Amino acid sequence: DAKTTQPNSMESNEEEPVHLPCNHSTISGTDYIHWYRQLPSQGPEYVIHGLTSNVNNRMASLAIAEDRKSSTLILHRATLRDAAVYYCILRDQNNDMRFGAGTRLTVKP
Amino acid sequence: DAGVIQSPRHEVTEMGQEVTLRCKPISGHDYLFWYRQTMMRGLELLIYFNNNVPIDDSGMPEDRFSAKMPNASFSTLKIQPSEPRDSAVYFCASSPSGTASFFGVPSEAFFGQGTRLTVV
């Protein structure tokens, strides 16, 4: 299975942009890049996903490198409610969904 | 839709007892996932189903664990006998099949609130 590598933790100031990196150097051509986040005491929630092109939605933007070996989740203006563990996941044609350790984002007021 | 519903939310049981965790997926979703989360091991995929059929159970820790999906609207995860090391939060998630992708990769998965299991 293709694996992802993320920093253990990151800090951000409130109302500033946050760039959360993910490396996936062994990604295959059919792997989709998904991001989820887990707020304290809750189940994970979907954030965004993409294949090759950059993607935007109401929660975030996903920037995918041209070689697809890395991606970056962008929160345009971090709020205190964005403090969570963010997971970068590769989903293949078998559709399983395996989580790594993720990045714990701390947002400072 | 009320989302993915798990029951019970909390379970405390004695070592050796049988524990059954329940999950009701979102109507129309044909994928169902069971996860276990601990501080030490993070979020582990235990098993997942497609159209009620188990696809991959390689994450099930041992024979004490079993999961069933008798119909599209219900799944159970059973631990028999339970042990203190099974204490964790267990999550269920469901997902529709992808509709816009050639490879049929599902898009968004929805998680339940989890069941916190404590085995004493």
Side-chain angles (χ1 to χ4, degrees):
Chain A
D1 290 342
K3 297 290 188 286
T4 63
T5 304
Q6 300 177 253
N8 289 335
S9 62
M10 291 185 65
E11 281 191 357
S12 172
N13 293 318
E14 197 176 11
E15 299 193 1
E16 289 186 356
V18 182
H19 291 233
L20 298 165
C22 180
N23 287 321
H24 27 80
S25 58
T26 58
I27 190 171
S28 73
T30 57
D31 285 335
Y32 279 71
I33 302 161
H34 286 243
W35 284 81
Y36 283 74
R37 72 179 186 182
Q38 188 172 19
L39 302 172
S41 302
Q42 294 190 25
E45 65 174 348
Y46 168 84
V47 177
I48 201 167
H49 80 281
L51 182 62
T52 57
S53 303
N54 294 344
V55 184
N56 300 296
N57 67 19
R58 64 176 178 79
M59 289 182 71
S61 295
L62 176 60
I64 301 172
E66 193 169 339
D67 63 5
R68 300 207 330 124
K69 293 185 176 181
S70 65
S71 61
T72 302
L73 180 70
I74 303 167
L75 307 179
H76 295 285
R77 287 183 64 203
T79 70
L80 296 178
R81 290 176 296 177
D82 291 323
V85 179
Y86 287 78
Y87 298 97
C88 170
I89 304 161
L90 300 181
R91 298 191 70 184
D92 60 15
Q93 66 274 22
N94 295 318
N95 299 326
D96 69 4
M97 193 164 61
R98 300 177 193 269
F99 289 75
T103 297
R104 182 174 297 278
L105 176 65
T106 301
V107 181
K108 298 181 290 184
Chain B
D1 201 315
V4 176
I5 300 174
Q6 293 187 244
S7 64
R9 292 292 309 276
H10 302 273
E11 176 81 33
V12 180
T13 190
E14 292 185 346
M15 182 173 62
Q17 296 297 307
E18 177 180 296
V19 176
T20 299
L21 310 181
R22 297 170 176 80
C23 176
K24 176 176 168 43
I26 293 173
S27 177
H29 284 189
D30 46 13
Y31 283 89
L32 185 139
F33 304 82
W34 279 102
Y35 292 88
R36 177 174 68 176
Q37 187 170 37
T38 61
M39 288 294 293
M40 290 296 295
R41 301 176 68 90
L43 201 56
E44 301 174 276
L45 175 64
L46 300 178
I47 185 171
Y48 74 100
F49 296 82
N50 178 218
N51 292 320
N52 313 336
V53 176
I55 301 301
D56 188 340
D57 65 353
S58 60
M60 296 286 264
E62 48 198 273
D63 292 345
R64 297 186 298 107
F65 285 69
S66 62
K68 294 183 179 179
M69 192 163 186
N71 56 61
S73 59
F74 183 66
S75 178
T76 60
L77 178 68
K78 185 178 295 186
I79 308 172
Q80 165 64 14
S82 59
E83 297 182 2
R85 60 190 168 125
D86 301 330
S87 298
V89 180
Y90 291 81
F91 289 103
C92 174
S94 71
S95 174
S97 292
T99 54
S101 164
F102 175 80
F103 298 106
V105 177
S107 54
E108 182 174 355
F110 296 82
F111 282 75
Q113 288 297 303
T115 295
R116 182 174 294 277
L117 173 65
T118 303
V119 183
V120 298

